[in-house]
Amino acid sequence: MRKSFRRLAGSLAGIVAGGLLATAALPAGTARAATGADRCPTGYFCGFTGTSGDGTMFKTKTNMPTLGTWDDRIRSYTNRGTTFACLYTEPNYSVVGDDAYYWSEAPGGPGTYAWSTGFDREISSVKFVRTERECSQNAYPQWYSEPAPVPAGFSDLDGNGRSDLLVRDAVGRLWFLPGDGSGRLVGSGWNALTALTRHGDLSGDGREDLLARDKGGVLWLYPGRGNGTFGARASVGSGWNAMAELRAAGDLSGDGRADLLARDRNGVLWLYPGRGNGTFAARKSNGSGWHAMNRLVGTGDLTRDGRADLLARDTGGRMWLYPGRGTGTFAARTLLGGGWGAMRDLVGVGSYDGDATNDLVTVTDESYRGGHPGWLLGYRGTGAGTFQRAAELNGEWWSLNGAY
């Protein structure tokens, strides 16, 4: 869990302008020497013995498990680097124990400093990380799943029988979570993609693939290698920015090939039948009025009739089940309930609990339980198109940029 303190920030230049500090005129052409927190060089974290960026200055741009003679001396500080500075009350970046706390300080700029009443003369180690969550844990969250007795046909990139997940962190790194609590880096630069979706094998080689749309509207197929990584991407075509949402949803048309759903910005839902080679046949309309839905979820077969179904959340936070007919169309929808508006991510994962029914996991946003973002919730399927009551699986899914 994050443990943070009240943070104050100010500008020494602003204090001077307000008349709180006396200044003397300098001769023309004389450069004014940096004062206060502005003494800190670009690229460094600096600490000061004074409470307002004054006094003796300490600086570092490398991790320091101990601060030596600067232990418990810093009273104010500024981060002029490009990464988060993690400040710990204990040596060796420890967050264990009742007296162990940390604060993550985001990169600042010239003329800024910050201090904490709780951290006055308490900083004992400093570490630099790319994302805030790495101050106290891995860049990726933990995910556990049990081997399923019957493969769901999706959500298993490494073919080990456990449902797995992909997560993108705040700086665009994509992580593969195989279901045993570990994580492996897939690659960086994924924040350049505006949509990611997966649901089984699209290319016909028996391995699960990934679709991703870039900012220019090109849709790319990332062929799975069967080990949680992907081969060289191939273009599926351009013009996909016309779609408000893209969702791989498995075999909706009953031909044994995985399909793609896309909702355009006019509210029309389109089925793109998969050809089994990573491309799609001519699209077919599934009707209009889908602009009332702000999230589609491919869950596979929820009703045990052998046909892939669809979940859709409306703008009022209600969840609807659209039973698949196996023809690329859907039967009359059924309301599953309200309160789903607090979910930032919704992912069909096959069976994560080791039974033969497909489940759903979600990641909460700021509105969950009055301000508790980053909870991973599990909804165990009943096999009748409904779910059991949500279980809070893990509370450390914060500071991420999507789960898939």
Side-chain angles (χ1 to χ4, degrees):
M1 294 292 291
R2 284 171 290 177
K3 296 182 178 180
S4 59
F5 296 95
R6 177 172 176 263
R7 182 180 61 172
L8 304 175
S11 167
L12 294 183
I15 295 175
V16 172
L20 299 182
L21 293 180
T23 61
L26 296 176
T30 302
R32 187 183 299 275
T35 60
D38 277 342
R39 293 175 291 162
C40 185
T42 299
Y44 282 82
F45 168 85
C46 297
F48 309 93
T49 56
T51 58
S52 301
D54 54 342
T56 306
M57 184 178 74
F58 154 89
K59 66 178 182 179
T60 183
K61 59 180 179 179
T62 59
N63 295 341
M64 296 190 66
T66 60
L67 297 188
T69 59
W70 274 90
D71 185 43
D72 291 343
R73 288 185 61 197
I74 295 173
R75 305 199 68 186
S76 59
Y77 49 83
T78 185
N79 182 12
R80 300 285 303 280
T82 58
T83 58
F84 282 89
C86 310
L87 316 177
Y88 302 86
T89 59
E90 301 297 318
N92 301 309
Y93 326 121
S94 175
V95 293
V96 179
D98 293 339
D99 295 327
Y101 296 90
Y102 76 91
W103 173 255
S104 56
E105 183 66 24
T112 63
Y113 61 91
W115 72 92
S116 164
T117 55
F119 260 23
D120 189 8
R121 298 191 182 102
E122 290 197 45
I123 299 174
S124 294
S125 53
V126 178
K127 181 173 69 173
F128 299 95
V129 296
R130 295 192 65 190
T131 61
E132 183 182 6
R133 61 177 292 115
E134 292 171 83
C135 288
S136 61
Q137 57 200 284
N138 290 322
Y140 57 86
Q142 290 185 331
W143 163 247
Y144 292 95
S145 59
E146 297 294 331
V150 179
F154 65 98
S155 194
D156 189 8
L157 285 165
D158 60 0
N160 67 354
R162 297 175 183 265
S163 66
D164 48 46
L165 286 169
L166 293 171
V167 294
R168 180 171 55 179
D169 68 22
V171 294
R173 293 173 296 185
L174 191 67
W175 299 89
F176 170 62
L177 312 183
D180 61 1
S182 67
R184 301 199 297 269
L185 180 65
V186 175
S188 302
W190 288 84
N191 276 347
L193 287 307
T194 61
L196 287 81
T197 184
R198 66 179 179 119
H199 193 105
D201 174 27
L202 292 166
S203 58
D205 62 0
R207 301 166 180 170
E208 187 169 17
D209 306 309
L210 175 69
L211 289 170
R213 179 184 62 192
D214 66 24
K215 294 178 181 178
V218 178
L219 187 64
W220 299 91
L221 173 73
Y222 290 81
R225 292 192 176 112
N227 60 1
T229 65
F230 302 98
R233 69 182 187 177
S235 173
V236 180
S238 59
W240 290 88
N241 276 343
M243 300 300 166
E245 184 171 5
L246 301 169
R247 189 64 55 204
D251 178 19
L252 294 169
S253 53
D255 61 0
R257 300 166 181 170
D259 306 315
L260 175 68
L261 289 172
R263 174 174 57 88
D264 69 24
R265 301 189 186 280
N266 293 319
V268 178
L269 184 65
W270 299 93
L271 172 74
Y272 289 80
R275 291 193 176 109
N277 62 0
T279 65
F280 300 98
R283 68 183 187 178
K284 302 175 182 179
S285 172
N286 248 305
S288 59
W290 288 84
H291 56 275
M293 304 296 169
N294 59 21
R295 187 62 57 87
L296 305 175
V297 188
T299 58
D301 178 17
L302 290 174
T303 58
R304 290 182 174 174
D305 63 358
R307 300 165 181 169
D309 304 311
L310 178 70
L311 293 178
R313 182 185 64 187
D314 67 25
T315 54
R318 296 175 298 179
M319 186 70 79
W320 299 88
L321 170 69
Y322 287 80
R325 291 193 176 110
T327 60
T329 61
F330 302 99
R333 69 183 187 178
T334 302
L335 178 63
L336 297 185
W340 293 84
M343 308 304 157
R344 185 189 68 213
D345 299 306
L346 300 101
V347 187
V349 292
S351 173
Y352 74 80
D353 58 356
D355 63 12
T357 58
N358 287 345
D359 306 319
L360 176 72
V361 297
T362 68
V363 181
T364 64
D365 64 17
E366 293 281 354
S367 64
Y368 178 65
R369 288 203 287 115
H372 289 79
W375 270 99
L376 179 71
L377 306 183
Y379 295 83
R380 298 174 61 186
T382 64
T386 59
F387 298 98
Q388 297 181 32
R389 187 180 182 87
E392 292 184 339
L393 302 180
N394 189 295
E396 300 296 342
W397 281 64
W398 52 276
S399 191
L400 298 170
N401 191 26
Y404 314 94

